Amino acid sequence: VADVDCTAGGESLCSKHEVGGYPTIKYGDPAELKDYNGGRSYDDLKKFASENLGPTCGPGENLELCDAKTKAKIEGFVSMSIDKLEGKIRKAT
């Protein structure tokens, strides 16, 4: 969950995810966000979440939801030392 101001520092993020109107609700995989077009009441959002959202692949208790390639990549990161992880982050940014 995120709150982004598309008129200030979040302009590039909003452009990347094709946010054209405000407020906009997106959901799903951060690499493939989908538009939410349902109601905005608490009950509408709760119903949508319970029917459409759930656990996804990730480290910890949801690792079994990952495909073999992603699982191996996560396990590789988890086994790295803090220094090696920090080095990879510096190199990537």
Side-chain angles (χ1 to χ4, degrees), residues 16-66:
K16 176 182 176 183
H17 294 290
E18 301 175 351
V19 174
Y22 315 107
T24 297
I25 298 175
K26 301 257 185 185
Y27 70 96
D29 183 325
E32 294 182 54
L33 291 175
K34 299 175 187 171
D35 291 325
Y36 169 75
N37 295 310
R40 302 297 175 105
S41 73
Y42 173 81
D43 289 335
D44 290 333
L45 290 166
K46 185 172 178 6
K47 182 175 191 273
F48 175 82
S50 67
E51 292 175 355
N52 296 282
L53 305 179
T56 58
C57 163
E61 63 188 48
N62 293 328
L63 190 59
E64 72 278 357
L65 300 175
C66 301

Side-chain angles (χ1 to χ4, degrees), residues 3 5 12 20 29-30 39-40 48 51 59 61 73 78 82 86:
D3 179 20
D5 184 347
S12 63
D29 183 325
R40 302 297 175 105
F48 175 82
E51 292 175 355
E61 63 188 48
K73 186 179 262 189
V78 169
I82 295 295
E86 287 175 346

